[in-house]
Amino acid sequence: MRTTQDLELVHLTKRYGDTVAVRDINHVFAPQSYVCLLGPSGCGKSTTLRMIAGHESVSEGAILLDGSDISTLPPARRGTAMMFQSYALFPHLSVRDNVAFSLKMKGIDKAQRHAKADELLELVDMGHLAERLPAQLSGGQQQRVALARALITEPRVLLLDEPLSALDPFLRIRMRAELKRLQRELGITFIHVTHGQDEALALADEVVVMNNAVIEQAGSAREVFNAPKTEFVARFMGGHNVVSLPGGARYAIRSDAVRLADDGHAATVTSVEYQGDRVAVTTRLADETEVVALVAEEQFFALPKSPGEAVCLAWDEGRQHRLQS
Ligand code: ADP
């Protein structure tokens, strides 16, 4: 297993005419980690991924792998592999031949490339379906084949563009556990593009939050969730309230840290939503700011509140987190 495989983006920029899709980003990806590029639609995630893969040219800057610039190499010579959202399997080739395809292009003989393809199909639990055609597979199975096909090139970095978005919610959760297992077993870096914060939190060793073509914050999933640097990150990660306190500074406070108390910030309940283990009480402060308190079920029903009622909100000062303006 390799140990040094730092992938680094240096002043990376992509322009499409007047549009700047990626603006001067700098980042070192921790080796052998599961990284999620997270952000709203249009923030530059896919463009970043495609530049790393070599499916998109770089306008300015460099992409370093082990210290050498790969940004002008063809995709097959970069040490990266990409798994596409659409899977892009060849419909007329068997599962085995789909997986073996890139080895065929390299002139590797049939016995050898089939042996390697079978090995990878075992890894993704698809060995028993090697003879089938893609049309005879479910969406989840096609995805496993696409994964095996990307991994057969023994990439240093696997790039995944919204890999779970085509799956139903149940399968999505199963496949994300599978992706995480594969990443651990292979010990290579996975860079996974998603716009789902729950997906990123569940999977990532490192979350890189993008907004408007730049990296807004990067860190461990817990760091980014618990200590959002900006209002954008606090709102995008969800589960936080953003309030202005006397003096004008803005703070993020997790909804589960807000209590209904005897005194504190005066607010009016605007809606109450039962969530099973807890109740989401949405309120409005005097300055119109919306604040959600997540109250444990038993606690709420001991002293239930209804829309229109006046309440007091309190939280420990230690739980409020100052945001950069
Ligand atoms: P994301 O993956 O975060 O949804 P993208 O990287 O696809 O965002 O796009 C970032 C920005 O670049 C968007 O404004 C998008 O419209 C623009 N863009 C992406 N691809 C192209 C292209 N081929 N030509 C022109 N503009 C593009």
Side-chain angles (χ1 to χ4, degrees):
M1 207 151 287
R2 301 172 179 99
T3 50
T4 56
Q5 46 169 324
D6 282 336
L7 177 68
E8 186 173 354
L9 309 180
V10 187
H11 296 296
L12 189 64
T13 296
K14 178 67 192 183
R15 288 195 191 85
Y16 295 106
D18 290 340
T19 308
V20 183
V22 175
R23 187 187 298 277
D24 193 23
I25 63 175
N26 292 286
H27 191 69
V28 180
F29 294 90
Q32 300 171 12
S33 57
Y34 204 114
V35 184
C36 284
L37 282 187
L38 173 68
S41 178
C43 70
K45 308 178 296 292
S46 297
T47 303
T48 302
L49 202 73
R50 290 201 308 269
M51 283 193 283
I52 298 170
H55 298 301
E56 193 61 82
S57 64
V58 167
S59 301
E60 277 159 45
I63 301 166
L64 308 181
L65 189 59
D66 278 346
S68 50
D69 189 0
I70 59 169
S71 65
T72 55
L73 297 178
R77 292 189 37 220
R78 292 189 171 206
T80 60
M82 178 120 163
M83 197 191 92
F84 295 95
Q85 201 178 85
S86 59
Y87 314 143
L89 299 175
F90 298 115
H92 57 288
L93 293 184
S94 70
V95 161
R96 179 181 290 117
D97 285 330
N98 260 288
V99 175
F101 188 78
S102 66
L103 298 188
K104 185 175 182 182
M105 291 296 98
K106 283 186 181 160
I108 291 169
D109 73 62
K110 193 165 178 171
Q112 223 178 328
R113 64 180 193 253
H114 278 181
K116 184 76 189 167
D118 286 346
E119 195 184 302
L120 282 149
L121 284 167
E122 284 304 321
L123 182 72
V124 297
D125 211 14
M126 283 290 292
H128 58 301
L129 299 177
E131 316 290 339
R132 290 222 184 147
L133 292 173
Q136 299 167 320
L137 302 176
S138 72
Q141 289 168 338
Q142 289 185 27
Q143 183 177 47
R144 287 164 193 266
V145 177
L147 260 175
R149 192 178 55 172
L151 291 170
I152 204 164
T153 60
E154 297 187 356
R156 322 280 298 271
V157 179
L158 181 68
L159 306 162
L160 307 115
D161 193 1
E162 305 249 3
L164 304 175
S165 62
L167 305 176
D168 66 56
F170 175 76
L171 204 52
R172 196 178 300 155
I173 288 173
R174 219 178 78 192
M175 277 310 294
R176 87 182 178 203
E178 192 83 343
L179 286 174
K180 183 87 182 174
R181 172 187 70 84
L182 268 176
Q183 186 270 328
R184 282 222 193 87
E185 266 180 42
L186 295 165
I188 63 173
T189 299
F190 278 28
I191 304 179
H192 171 142
V193 161
T194 178
H195 56 263
Q197 53 84 24
D198 52 342
E199 192 167 300
L201 290 178
L203 276 169
D205 299 312
E206 184 184 36
V207 178
V208 177
V209 184
M210 290 186 71
N211 183 32
N212 282 334
V214 300
I215 294 176
E216 188 92 11
Q217 185 171 359
S220 71
R222 287 196 71 192
E223 243 165 57
V224 173
F225 187 77
N226 283 310
K229 275 190 187 153
T230 62
E231 179 164 347
F232 171 82
V233 176
R235 292 197 188 283
F236 192 76
M237 296 311 288
H240 288 82
N241 298 294
V242 176
V243 298
S244 300
L245 293 179
R250 312 269 286 160
Y251 289 85
I253 301 138
R254 275 172 56 158
S255 297
D256 58 356
V258 179
R259 300 187 304 273
L260 302 180
D262 294 332
D263 63 349
H265 305 265
T268 308
V269 176
T270 55
S271 71
V272 172
E273 195 180 275
Y274 181 57
Q275 296 183 343
D277 55 342
R278 54 198 191 176
V279 179
V281 182
T282 305
T283 69
R284 195 171 292 136
L285 298 176
D287 69 357
E288 297 288 303
T289 304
E290 188 169 274
V291 175
V292 177
L294 287 175
V295 185
E297 185 198 20
E298 282 186 20
Q299 218 172 328
F300 178 84
F301 286 104
L303 209 64
K305 304 287 178 200
S306 310
E309 263 185 74
V311 290
C312 285
L313 305 177
W315 55 82
D316 296 338
E317 230 170 80
R319 302 297 302 272
Q320 65 190 35
H321 180 85
R322 189 167 179 162
L323 298 170
Q324 288 170 8
S325 44

